[in-house]
Amino acid sequence: MLPFKPKQPLPIPLNVHVLRVLSEPGIQIRSVTLTDQRLSICYAKEAELIQPRGLIAIDRNLDNLTVADSDGQIRRQNLAKATEVKAMYRELRSHVQRNDVRICQRVSGKYGCKQREKVKQILHHASKQIVMDAKRGEFGIVMEKLTGIRKLYRKGNWQGRGYRGRMNSWSFAELQRQIEYKAAWEGIPVIYVNPYGTSAKCSKCGQRMKPEENRTLKCSKCGFIVDRDVNAARNILARGARFTPVASASEAMVREPARSVVILKVDADELTRRPTT
Ligand SMILES: [Zn+2]
């Protein structure tokens, strides 16, 4: 129990990282919530929207992220670790499930939660990298507008149903959510384009591609041979460029993150363990 008296301030030691974030210029604290599990500090700042000089496009697959930008750079980020985490917990659950249904549900829920936290961490790393790249290159971010679970299945050729399918679509949405709020915080515009045909059409001439060996595609018209993820990223980039007048005044397609609110969650446990100045 906390020694708490009405209308008396309650001192809570914060760690260095939290203090540094909260002392940044322009930060306003909106609310503070203390539970037995954690202290949540909700803070906000006005983010000025940057005028991008180009775009950075993201294609997301089960095992990787492929990023293509207006300068012609292609970068791939491995997400296999997130897949491994999923596989590990799936394995654990399969052992549990032979026993009592009720225990199974409880354990399943617990593993599900831990698994999400682990995958979240991996995605945080990836989303941070993308937003940093966008900031450095003064790029706006382009992603596919993923609607409906069918698209999500098709995307990574996942035939899995139930838990696995939910997990995969969740991690897609989670990555986009993270990119969106991190970009908003930096004033980087984010746009969504129609995903239709991005993986099947040639990123040079627009013809339909034929699958070749080793995840490559070949264009039947212009002969272009390309990795399928790179092709998709290039198509998303081209689509974004067509819809966004980059570095111009009209920004009808750009979502304007005029103000972003980020909720920072810190475990109370951690606060007491590492009290600082
Ligand atoms: Zn072609």
Side-chain angles (χ1 to χ4, degrees):
M1 275 304 283
L2 284 160
F4 180 73
K5 287 178 194 154
K7 292 177 185 171
Q8 288 265 313
L10 176 69
I12 299 167
L14 301 174
N15 68 31
V16 187
H17 171 72
V18 177
L19 288 171
R20 195 171 50 222
V21 170
L22 295 179
S23 60
E24 273 174 34
I27 298 285
Q28 298 163 355
I29 294 176
R30 305 274 291 258
S31 69
V32 176
T33 312
L34 183 66
T35 68
D36 59 341
Q37 292 289 315
R38 56 179 44 170
L39 173 73
S40 293
I41 304 167
C42 179
Y43 59 96
K45 77 166 177 185
E46 300 276 350
E48 208 171 305
L49 199 67
I50 66 151
Q51 200 58 259
R53 64 169 189 92
L55 295 169
I56 188 164
I58 301 150
D59 180 64
R60 163 82 204 265
N61 268 304
L62 183 59
D63 284 335
N64 74 68
L65 279 175
T66 307
V67 178
D69 69 35
S70 304
D71 290 347
Q73 301 274 348
I74 304 279
R75 188 172 60 75
R76 191 171 300 207
Q77 198 156 331
N78 197 354
L79 286 183
K81 256 206 242 159
T83 320
E84 277 167 31
V85 170
K86 290 177 200 170
M88 189 180 87
Y89 282 103
R90 206 156 51 231
E91 171 74 16
L92 273 171
R93 263 194 312 277
S94 71
H95 288 296
V96 172
Q97 277 162 7
R98 289 186 198 113
N99 300 315
D100 177 39
V101 179
R102 255 183 314 167
I103 291 175
C104 156
Q105 277 172 346
R106 211 164 47 209
V107 175
S108 238
K110 201 172 145 201
Y111 282 144
C113 199
K114 278 190 184 170
Q115 175 184 8
R116 272 175 195 235
E117 284 309 311
K118 285 236 164 91
V119 173
K120 244 184 185 176
Q121 281 169 26
I122 294 163
L123 297 178
H124 270 302
H125 183 75
S127 57
K128 187 182 171 190
Q129 189 67 49
I130 285 162
V131 172
M132 268 163 51
D133 285 355
K135 195 182 177 185
R136 204 178 304 119
E138 295 166 57
F139 295 134
I141 297 172
V142 194
M143 292 186 279
E144 287 178 299
K145 186 160 190 66
L146 296 171
T147 48
I149 205 133
R150 245 154 112 219
K151 164 73 186 168
L152 295 171
Y153 282 132
R154 195 188 60 78
K155 185 84 191 154
N157 288 325
W158 308 315
Q159 300 308 316
R161 278 158 203 247
Y163 187 83
R164 196 175 157 210
R166 282 202 308 278
M167 187 67 200
N168 284 328
S169 37
W170 168 81
S171 84
F172 258 102
E174 173 61 18
L175 183 79
Q176 290 200 331
R177 187 191 67 83
Q178 290 182 6
I179 291 173
E180 211 170 286
Y181 86 76
K182 286 175 191 180
W185 192 255
E186 300 293 344
I188 296 163
V190 174
I191 58 170
Y192 286 98
V193 295
N194 184 348
Y196 181 75
T198 47
S199 42
K201 285 178 185 168
C202 173
S203 57
K204 270 197 172 163
C205 75
Q207 269 301 314
R208 223 185 149 73
M209 304 285 275
K210 280 189 186 129
E212 299 265 297
E213 286 169 359
N214 296 325
R215 294 177 63 85
T216 58
L217 298 170
K218 189 181 179 182
C219 175
S220 49
K221 195 180 171 193
C222 74
F224 185 42
I225 298 171
V226 63
D227 174 272
R228 56 184 233 191
D229 301 330
V230 172
N231 189 60
R234 281 167 50 109
N235 277 330
I236 296 165
L237 181 70
R239 237 166 244 200
R242 222 177 304 144
F243 286 108
T244 335
V246 170
S248 92
S250 88
E251 284 183 323
M253 284 297 294
V254 178
R255 292 166 50 107
E256 288 205 38
R259 168 177 257 234
S260 49
V261 179
V262 176
I263 298 171
L264 178 74
K265 283 178 178 159
V266 193
D267 284 337
D269 174 56
E270 184 155 342
L271 294 173
T272 46
R273 225 182 316 124
R274 288 193 300 171
T276 40
T277 51

